[in-house]
Amino acid sequence: QVHLVESGGGLVQAGGSLRLSCAASEDTFNSYYMGWFRQAPGEEREFVAAIAWSGEVVIYAESVKGRFTISGDSAKNTIKLSMDSLKSDDTAVYYCAARSRYGFSRVPTAYDYWGQGAQVTVSS
């Protein structure tokens, strides 16, 4: 069982930046693919970004490409999501997720473990 805890959400003005962190309860490197998803009120959960714990391969949703950066810190069992040039459309609860099977996925049901979520609110 992997426990994931997000931190770092908050309120920011449009054009600003926020950083999210996700701490894993065990050494997930070389075992999991890690992803960030988000869910706005009344909307389905959508893919944001994912990273292989090898660290060098990442994928992004088109809507955040060039503005968001996902990274991993193997020593701390932590992944981060750096969000720049934030827009009001980025407002959502952001979730960290872990996938134990091989290969990237943009589908929420492909992930086995989830954090509790962190609220990100971007004011226009």
Side-chain angles (χ1 to χ4, degrees), residues 18-21 36 48-51 55 58-61 64-72 79-86:
L18 280 175
R19 305 288 183 264
L20 296 176
S21 292
W36 286 99
V48 175
I51 185 170
V58 298
I59 59 173
Y60 296 97
V64 306
K65 195 175 292 184
R67 300 188 297 121
F68 290 13
T69 303
I70 187 172
S71 61
I79 64 167
K80 296 183 178 181
L81 186 69
S82 297
M83 304 179 290
D84 299 314
S85 302
L86 283 161

Side-chain angles (χ1 to χ4, degrees), residues 17-122:
S17 299
L18 280 175
R19 305 288 183 264
L20 296 176
S21 292
C22 173
S25 60
E26 64 181 60
D27 183 3
T28 54
F29 274 91
N30 299 318
S31 299
Y32 294 91
Y33 287 76
M34 303 296 296
W36 286 99
F37 288 77
R38 66 187 182 185
Q39 188 166 18
E43 302 291 332
E44 294 186 352
R45 192 166 296 189
E46 67 171 355
F47 171 78
V48 175
I51 185 170
W53 275 123
S54 62
E56 296 186 357
V57 182
V58 298
I59 59 173
Y60 296 97
E62 285 298 319
S63 60
V64 306
K65 195 175 292 184
R67 300 188 297 121
F68 290 13
T69 303
I70 187 172
S71 61
D73 185 337
S74 60
K76 297 181 179 179
N77 289 335
T78 299
I79 64 167
K80 296 183 178 181
L81 186 69
S82 297
M83 304 179 290
D84 299 314
S85 302
L86 283 161
K87 307 174 182 179
S88 57
D89 288 348
D90 295 318
T91 295
V93 177
Y94 283 69
Y95 296 91
C96 174
R99 168 176 165 80
S100 60
R101 287 152 286 176
Y102 180 79
F104 283 107
S105 177
R106 301 170 184 261
V107 179
T109 54
Y111 288 75
D112 305 295
Y113 304 103
W114 292 86
Q116 82 286 355
Q119 177 69 48
V120 170
T121 303
V122 184

